[in-house]
Amino acid sequence: MKNLAILPILVFFISQQSNFSQELEPNLELTSKDSIIERSWHVGIGFNAVDDSGDMFDELFAVDSQWNYVYYPSRVNLGRYFKSGIGIDAIATYNKYQEGKLIEGSINTVEKDYYAVDSRVTYDLMKIFKKDSWFDPYVGVGLGYAKADNVGRGTYNAVIGFRTWISEKFGIDFNATGKWRISNDNATNHLQHGVGVVYRFGIEKGLNESGEEKLALMEALEKEKQRQLDSLNQVEKEKELARKLEMERAFAQQQAEEEAKKAARENLLKEIESQIAELGNAYFDLNSSYLNKNAKTVLKGLAEMMEKYPQLELEISSHADSRGSETYNQWLSERRVNRTLEYLMEQGVSEARLHGESFGETQLLNNCDDHTYCPEDKHKVNRRSEFKIVKY
């Protein structure tokens, strides 16, 4: 009965050990959620609206009476974002002060152009949380120059805005900029609002906090696995060493066998070459392609060798002496090689084991050319069929 009472406790203990083992080695991998964009370029195009009513922050949303805008893209910007969360931007805008709008405290009666170029430094507020988000607010300050109401002015700028990222590369930028004149007392301070599409490129990524924690855990687990591997007992190491020595011995034996086979093949080749050299060449009579008695004796001996070594293949090359024209001697050597091949095949040698070439008078074995007198015995040396091993 006591044993039965202990059984549930043992089952619980084993299950907890299994869960602990699984927790020790979780299935970890870095994903896109563990990364954060550290650097990038961005370019944007969109629209802008100017509020130069003279009251600056009164009636901020009096669109009909105070906002001036055009119905086509009128704002471009280029910027760079850094790992610290700081961004820099260059912005160019165009607009028109419209008739009937409140400009510098009075109703505008003549349409006027508005131009502005601005530079600004911004800080990405999501950097505080060390993560990327579809909602990306920022604040910034900068300097600019605007020509508005036909009056040029340098400006101190302050901006607040946010981007909503549709994807990693594309988003929509909303911003409002306050512009305070630097020195021209005839110019007013004004507001400029912008909205546009922004494209992000040249993206460089790093790990966010959760990614760094996950990477640290992965490295710790990897070190623990390595520690366990490094703690293999000496018996396992000796077994591995024994297996390695056995493989080396088998490899050495295989190498020795291959070397022995190679040496045997080389010795066999030398033996066959020696036997062919002992048989000699098949020689022809002057202006003849017919095999004489001596030539047939040589070819019969060659056929017996090829029967003895069935793997043997030969190249048969036939030649002529220098007497006669080159064309004639080429024709004659072709007939000689054909008759040599035919005779060997009559002796039972397979055609597949024979390869014929004719060289005419191009490969003389002595100096008996067209310009040198030689006795008959020297010319005879060149009227021959030679035998060369091409496969064995």
Side-chain angles (χ1 to χ4, degrees):
M1 293 298 291
K2 291 183 178 179
N3 291 337
L4 292 176
I6 294 173
L7 182 60
I9 298 175
L10 290 175
V11 171
F12 174 78
F13 177 76
I14 293 171
S15 65
Q16 292 302 309
Q17 287 292 103
S18 176
N19 291 337
F20 176 77
S21 177
Q22 292 178 0
E23 290 175 2
L24 183 61
E25 296 189 17
N27 184 18
L28 293 176
E29 61 178 8
L30 292 173
T31 67
S32 59
K33 294 181 179 180
D34 299 313
S35 65
I36 185 172
I37 294 175
E38 293 185 338
R39 297 178 181 86
S40 66
W41 290 89
H42 57 264
V43 62
I45 185 170
F47 303 87
N48 80 96
V50 178
D51 180 354
D52 195 5
S53 60
D55 55 24
M56 196 63 174
F57 294 110
D58 293 340
E59 300 184 57
L60 287 175
F61 301 102
V63 176
D64 291 338
S65 61
Q66 297 186 14
W67 286 28
N68 298 273
Y69 48 86
V70 293
Y71 293 96
Y72 47 82
S74 56
R75 182 182 188 274
V76 293
N77 68 286
L78 174 67
R80 174 70 165 156
Y81 174 77
F82 298 95
K83 183 177 181 179
S84 61
I86 298 296
I88 57 174
D89 287 270
I91 306 165
T93 54
Y94 169 75
N95 213 316
K96 284 183 177 292
Y97 282 181
Q98 301 163 4
E99 294 182 23
K101 299 286 185 175
L102 183 63
I103 304 297
E104 299 183 3
S106 60
I107 300 301
N108 186 41
T109 58
V110 179
E111 189 176 79
K112 302 170 187 176
D113 291 327
Y114 173 95
Y115 303 93
V117 289
D118 298 285
S119 62
R120 71 186 187 192
V121 178
T122 60
Y123 181 74
D124 187 347
L125 296 177
M126 292 306 297
K127 196 67 178 179
I128 299 172
F129 305 100
K130 297 183 179 181
K131 67 177 183 178
D132 290 332
S133 171
W134 69 271
F135 179 70
D136 190 12
Y138 60 89
V139 294
V141 293
L143 297 172
Y145 176 82
K147 185 175 181 181
D149 198 20
N150 294 326
V151 178
R153 67 198 78 174
T155 60
Y156 300 111
N157 300 340
V159 60
I160 183 171
F162 65 91
R163 301 183 182 98
T164 57
W165 293 107
I166 301 170
S167 67
E168 184 178 87
K169 293 186 176 182
F170 287 96
I172 302 176
D173 187 4
F174 302 87
N175 58 81
T177 304
K179 296 185 173 183
W180 289 267
R181 65 180 182 271
I182 294 177
S183 60
N184 192 336
D185 294 335
N186 295 323
T188 57
N189 304 323
H190 62 284
L191 293 172
Q192 186 174 26
H193 311 289
V195 60
V197 176
V198 61
Y199 173 73
R200 187 160 51 183
F201 61 97
I203 295 173
E204 299 177 31
K205 290 186 175 183
L207 294 177
N208 56 26
E209 281 188 347
S210 64
E212 290 174 351
E213 292 174 358
K214 188 180 291 186
L215 179 61
L217 179 57
M218 292 169 65
E219 291 175 346
L221 289 173
E222 187 62 29
K223 287 181 179 179
E224 175 59 21
K225 289 180 181 179
Q226 188 60 46
R227 187 193 65 78
Q228 293 177 8
L229 291 174
D230 292 340
S231 65
L232 291 173
N233 58 58
Q234 190 63 30
V235 174
E236 288 298 323
K237 291 181 180 180
E238 290 178 356
K239 287 182 179 179
E240 181 63 25
L241 179 60
R243 285 194 292 268
K244 183 178 179 181
L245 291 174
E246 178 60 24
M247 292 176 62
E248 291 177 351
R249 186 198 64 77
F251 179 74
Q253 181 178 349
Q254 181 182 0
Q255 290 290 99
E257 291 174 355
E258 290 178 356
E259 289 294 329
K261 289 180 181 179
K262 182 179 179 182
R265 283 179 59 83
E266 291 176 351
N267 292 334
L268 177 60
L269 175 61
K270 291 178 181 178
E271 175 63 24
I272 297 173
E273 288 176 338
S274 176
Q275 293 180 29
I276 292 176
E278 187 176 342
L279 286 173
N281 297 329
Y283 294 100
F284 295 87
D285 297 329
L286 178 63
N287 292 329
S288 174
S289 62
Y290 290 96
L291 299 170
N292 55 35
K293 184 178 179 181
N294 290 335
K296 289 181 179 179
T297 300
V298 171
L299 294 179
K300 285 180 180 178
L302 191 63
E304 291 174 359
M305 283 185 58
M306 297 194 74
E307 183 178 1
K308 181 179 178 181
Y309 305 108
Q311 76 278 19
L312 187 63
E313 293 185 17
L314 295 179
E315 179 185 276
I316 314 297
S317 61
S318 294
H319 308 264
D321 61 28
S322 62
R323 290 175 291 185
S325 67
E326 291 183 3
T327 303
Y328 170 74
N329 286 332
Q330 179 63 36
W331 171 82
L332 185 59
S333 66
E334 290 174 1
R335 290 176 62 83
R336 285 172 176 169
V337 75
N338 289 335
R339 290 187 186 279
T340 303
L341 294 172
E342 289 170 359
Y343 190 81
L344 286 171
M345 286 187 283
E346 289 174 3
Q347 303 304 308
V349 181
S350 171
E351 182 180 1
R353 299 172 63 193
L354 301 171
H355 311 276
E357 290 286 343
S358 57
F359 294 96
E361 60 179 86
T362 61
Q363 296 186 2
L364 301 175
L365 296 179
N366 50 37
N367 60 351
C368 296
D369 56 20
D370 293 335
H371 308 291
T372 305
Y373 170 77
C374 288
E376 171 58 22
D377 60 336
K378 287 192 174 181
H379 280 299
K380 182 179 179 180
V381 172
N382 295 317
R383 301 192 301 268
R384 70 200 186 278
S385 282
E386 292 180 334
F387 317 107
K388 179 182 178 182
I389 297 173
V390 294
K391 184 178 180 182
Y392 70 98

